[in-house]
Amino acid sequence: MIEIEVKVKADHSKAHHVLKKIGAVKLGVESQSDVYFAAPYRDFAKTDEALRIRSLNDQAVLTYKGPKLDGISKTREEFETSVDEETTIQILHALGFSEAGVVRKKREVFRAGEITVCLDIVERLGEFLEVEIVADSEKELESSRAKLFELLKQFGAEEKDSIRTSYLEMVLEKNKG
């Protein structure tokens, strides 16, 4: 699957009004803790890849994200599978992987048609809005991305507001300063 995702800074009180106006359905609230890993054989920062374990509601999911496929969104191939968190961390450590950083966030999830809308409060970073759509092939990228930016206009955001930097990159940058 290809995940087409756009992230922008957002005022959640204003975003809630827009979500209500467009009839978005609230799916739930999640507390997420993401542990990202560095590979011993290549630099994921240079290859634009990510490997993480997301803890959520007593469950864990291992996710690999491939390099971004365009210059304006966070579109990338993604593979996920449920795992036993402790065992998977032990396996990754045994293979030489190390923990690169942790991102903690509270996420409100909504559905607006075929688009998933997330209001994220990220520890140490603030409030964000993410919109996401899943495509089966690269042929759908352009039309799917256009749908996301069309929806973002309702929130007062434009293509130029898109943030391609990951939460991990932002957290690591914040830790430097």
Side-chain angles (χ1 to χ4, degrees), residues 79-137:
F79 304 100
E80 293 185 325
T81 189
S82 297
V83 296
D84 176 277
E85 184 173 10
E86 254 181 65
T87 303
T88 304
I89 289 172
Q90 290 173 339
I91 291 168
L92 291 172
H93 285 163
L95 292 171
F97 285 76
S98 58
E99 290 170 24
V102 178
V103 175
R104 290 182 185 83
K105 64 181 170 270
K106 179 183 163 205
R107 170 172 276 182
E108 281 185 274
V109 183
F110 298 83
R111 194 85 177 145
E114 61 187 320
I115 299 172
T116 302
V117 179
C118 300
L119 298 182
D120 292 341
I121 301 173
V122 184
E123 194 174 276
R124 301 187 65 223
L125 298 178
E127 296 183 340
F128 296 86
L129 167 78
E130 284 191 3
V131 291
E132 175 186 306
I133 196 167
V134 175
D136 293 325
S137 72

Side-chain angles (χ1 to χ4, degrees), residues 53-64:
I53 296 177
R54 171 168 287 165
S55 301
L56 162 75
N57 306 332
D58 297 326
Q59 295 183 342
V61 176
L62 177 69
T63 304
Y64 165 78

Side-chain angles (χ1 to χ4, degrees), residues 139-158:
K139 287 184 266 181
E140 301 171 31
L141 291 184
E142 205 170 305
S143 63
S144 296
R145 197 172 38 243
K147 290 176 189 174
L148 295 181
F149 283 113
E150 193 59 39
L151 178 62
L152 281 172
K153 283 181 188 173
Q154 308 235 12
F155 294 92
E158 300 174 38

